[in-house]
Amino acid sequence: MKIKRIALITPPYHSGVVESAGTWLNVGFVYIAGALRAAGYEVDYYDAMSLWHKWPDIQKRIEAFRPDVIATTAYTASIVDAVKLLKFAKAIDPRIVTVLGNVHAAFCYDEVLTHDHDAVDYIVRGEGEETLPMLCHCLNAGDDPKKVLGIAYWRDGGVVVTPKAPYIHDLDSLPTAWDLVEWPIYTYRAKKNARLAIVSSSRGCKSQCSFCSQQLFWSQSWRARSAENFVTELEMLHNVHGVQVAMLSDELPTFDRERWVRILDLMIEREVPVKLLMETRVDDIMRDADIMDKYREGGVEHIYVGVEAGTQETLDLFKKDTLVDQSKAAIDLINNADIVSETSFVLGMPDDTPESIEQTIELAKHYNPDMAFFLAIAPWPYAELYPELEPYVATKDYRKYNLVEPVIKPKNMTMEELERQLGRASQKFFMHKFQNLEKLTPWKQEFMLSVLDLLINHSYLAGQMKAMLKEGKEMPPEVKALLKTVKHHGASHPQTFAPIP
């Protein structure tokens, strides 16, 4: 069979985590689709996850496009559905060549191929823009896949692994396929359903966090697009596709200060009307204390910094390379620049107790981010920290490794107790925030009202938040009054709040 048509399909996995704020496109597929098209292949960019498509919908799309290759992507929580998708494709047409990529498959290829080699023909173990076209060229030529760098596959009762492919260094040269994106579905709820893009200005991570996958995937390397190339893309996305908000997928967008300042200067000079959401490190915010106003003027509206832990001991275990006091200082800098601040705390470690979680909640209040989320530790099976956590792993169901459902059983808590404590932590923190809403600037007040709507109506916390509102516990009169106001708040979608006592 000659390979001509390739479908890039996201697995239909949902956990209620990222969906609460909006609908997020797969920027990796934008690049891979561009590379495949430049190599002469016809491509279908099919975001089944974001479209909320069910299996009959997926079957119709596959049968309509008639792909020769189907490639999908999987982080740990979505690996089960990704493999199911490829099995589904084989059932539709056994001749379809199936390919799996992204971080879970890159490290757990042996496990995946040993158990599911009937569904997964090839695994791409790194960046796909060069590897996937090379694999397709190789198969079309009837050549030996061993010649393709950066893949793994099953042959003669065992796993074949080829040498690692080099990283792509000239990111400016990569073709994209933004025109294949089904733009109307990608919206950001917190800004009245503004059109949302996910963009990438750099790749890699120089950090050494022991619980994370990114420093392993990128081998602690970092490469970046030029400031001019990136800002020109943002202008194009706005002018051609109507993008109003862009989230940077980068782990460390601000790593090179000179380049980052150039990006902000270009955003200001060209008056690019795209607001930026981003993640960066505490120490980079500290470094940039003198230019936080430039962040805001350059369109940065929302910054996430990973605090992760409430004690220096746990921070050191996580190898965050930061101090507890620095986290508070960084969040203050973001707040003082009138930028939305967000952070998260990882809970559910073996030594956690209700008392330690309560201390973390109080610390979150002290840090005073606009948003704080309390996440269940997900022990990625390939992370440095995994051997230390493995004795406490209570489930090997990867679908639960979504940072919401507990996977680790603490020594002195049941899984049910931990789950209740995670929900309670969010309730207590956000009630504290809404009691102090008047301390925020007007635009942040408006933003936080939208956040409250999302928490109650669209997030994985919805059930717990509605129950709390219905009971009215721990809720002062001024917060009840606020919620009654929010019920009639002029958001861009209908409100379905629980009755206010």
Side-chain angles (χ1 to χ4, degrees):
M1 178 180 70
K2 191 78 171 175
I3 294 173
K4 298 178 181 178
R5 289 182 298 276
I6 302 169
L8 305 176
I9 308 177
T10 55
Y13 171 79
H14 298 281
S15 66
V17 180
V18 296
E19 295 100 334
S20 59
T23 307
W24 316 88
L25 63 82
N26 188 307
V27 69
F29 275 6
V30 172
Y31 282 102
I32 294 172
L36 287 167
R37 196 163 57 179
Y41 298 98
E42 185 181 349
V43 184
D44 184 22
Y45 173 107
Y46 177 26
D47 195 352
M49 180 188 294
S50 293
L51 287 163
W52 288 81
H53 276 184
K54 306 295 185 185
W55 296 107
D57 305 309
I58 295 171
Q59 181 171 349
K60 288 177 184 176
R61 181 92 167 225
I62 291 173
E63 290 175 345
F65 185 64
R66 294 180 294 111
D68 305 306
V69 173
I70 288 181
T72 192
T73 176
Y75 42 87
T76 297
S78 65
I79 185 64
V80 174
D81 290 275
V83 171
K84 184 177 179 181
L85 170 65
L86 298 184
K87 285 182 180 178
F88 188 72
K90 290 282 192 183
I92 294 171
D93 183 351
R95 297 174 302 169
I96 291 174
V97 176
T98 55
V99 182
L100 175 64
N102 210 331
V103 63
H104 186 92
F107 294 111
C108 298
Y109 55 84
D110 196 77
E111 177 185 61
V112 172
L113 290 170
T114 298
H115 292 100
D116 294 299
H117 53 266
D118 57 329
V120 183
D121 292 325
Y122 296 96
I123 284 173
V124 172
R125 295 170 42 241
E127 293 169 299
E129 290 90 349
E130 293 180 352
T131 300
L132 189 51
M134 286 175 62
L135 175 61
C136 293
H137 292 337
C138 177
L139 296 177
N140 275 339
D143 210 343
D144 189 347
K146 279 187 179 180
K147 296 180 179 179
V148 180
L149 298 178
I151 64 170
Y153 55 97
W154 184 268
R155 284 291 184 278
D156 302 323
V159 176
V160 178
V161 186
T162 68
K164 186 176 180 179
Y167 291 119
I168 300 166
H169 286 278
D170 185 6
L171 300 182
D172 284 2
S173 68
L174 290 175
T176 55
W178 291 111
D179 56 300
L180 297 184
V181 174
E182 297 178 63
W183 283 107
I185 68 172
Y186 298 108
T187 59
Y188 183 50
R189 288 196 181 104
K191 285 184 72 71
K192 299 182 180 178
N193 291 320
R195 181 157 295 181
L196 173 68
I198 310 297
V199 294
S200 172
S201 83
S202 66
R203 294 184 182 183
C205 184
K206 301 288 280 187
S207 303
Q208 302 180 50
C209 302
S210 60
F211 60 87
C212 188
S213 63
Q214 293 306 302
Q215 57 108 345
L216 297 171
F217 190 80
W218 300 116
S219 302
Q220 292 183 302
S221 66
W222 188 85
R223 299 144 289 143
R225 296 167 62 186
S226 67
E228 289 75 11
N229 180 272
F230 175 61
V231 174
T232 298
E233 180 176 69
L234 290 175
E235 288 181 309
M236 180 278 295
L237 289 173
H238 175 75
N239 294 333
V240 177
H241 300 294
V243 169
Q244 299 161 284
V245 180
M247 187 182 86
L248 276 69
S249 64
D250 310 30
E251 284 79 29
L252 289 176
T254 63
F255 178 72
D256 180 339
R257 173 167 160 133
E258 183 179 350
R259 167 188 168 273
W260 178 244
V261 169
R262 179 63 178 154
I263 287 174
L264 296 176
D265 285 341
L266 287 172
M267 293 289 289
I268 295 166
E269 291 168 16
R270 299 183 186 180
E271 299 181 346
V272 182
V274 176
K275 300 303 181 184
L276 300 179
L277 322 175
M278 57 179 279
E279 171 183 355
T280 193
R281 281 180 55 88
V282 162
D283 45 6
D284 280 1
I285 292 295
M286 300 285 288
R287 177 202 70 193
D288 289 348
D290 61 318
I291 58 167
M292 291 310 296
D293 288 344
K294 181 171 286 193
Y295 274 61
R296 187 73 174 91
E297 190 180 356
V300 176
E301 268 197 358
H302 188 141
I303 299 176
Y304 168 89
V305 287
V307 171
E308 316 303 1
T311 68
Q312 193 61 49
E313 181 183 10
T314 307
L315 278 177
D316 293 342
L317 177 65
F318 288 168
K319 294 190 176 179
K320 288 294 293 181
D321 198 26
T322 55
L323 302 174
V324 170
D325 290 345
Q326 289 178 321
S327 299
K328 166 64 174 167
I331 291 169
D332 285 345
L333 285 169
I334 297 168
N335 287 339
N336 291 338
D338 202 22
I339 296 171
V340 171
S341 57
E342 179 184 348
T343 193
S344 61
F345 295 86
V346 176
L347 301 177
M349 293 291 285
D351 290 328
D352 266 343
T353 63
E355 292 74 24
S356 69
I357 291 173
E358 183 65 35
Q359 290 172 1
T360 301
I361 298 168
E362 292 306 309
L363 184 67
K365 293 177 184 179
H366 170 66
Y367 281 168
N368 195 34
D370 296 311
M371 292 188 287
F373 292 93
F374 301 85
L375 307 176
I377 181 76
W380 316 128
Y382 38 81
E384 180 186 338
L385 194 59
Y386 187 78
E388 188 168 337
L389 296 179
E390 188 175 17
Y392 306 97
V393 171
T395 177
K396 293 294 181 75
D397 179 358
Y398 286 140
R399 286 179 58 86
K400 296 182 182 293
Y401 286 50
N402 52 27
L403 306 178
V404 173
E405 299 177 78
V407 173
I408 294 289
K409 184 197 173 300
K411 298 171 187 175
N412 299 305
M413 297 175 69
T414 66
M415 300 288 278
E416 293 74 22
E417 285 174 325
L418 176 57
E419 192 164 16
R420 284 196 300 272
Q421 288 293 333
L422 288 167
R424 179 175 168 274
S426 295
Q427 291 171 4
K428 292 194 73 170
F429 174 81
F430 281 105
M431 279 300 100
H432 169 76
K433 287 303 296 185
F434 290 114
Q435 282 179 263
N436 294 278
L437 194 68
E438 76 284 351
K439 296 179 182 178
L440 301 178
T441 59
W443 97 265
K444 271 199 180 185
Q445 289 184 31
E446 185 77 9
F447 177 84
M448 291 302 292
L449 289 175
S450 296
V451 168
L452 180 58
D453 170 47
L454 298 182
L455 289 171
I456 295 171
N457 292 305
H458 301 286
S459 80
Y460 66 95
L461 297 167
Q464 295 160 323
M465 295 294 285
K466 286 180 179 178
M468 176 195 63
L469 298 181
K470 190 171 183 179
E471 292 172 7
K473 291 179 181 177
E474 301 181 12
M475 194 188 307
E478 62 268 26
V479 178
K480 292 184 183 181
L482 169 67
L483 293 173
K484 289 179 180 178
T485 301
V486 172
K487 186 176 181 182
H488 303 291
H489 182 243
S492 58
H493 45 274
Q495 306 294 320
T496 55
F497 290 96
I500 305 300

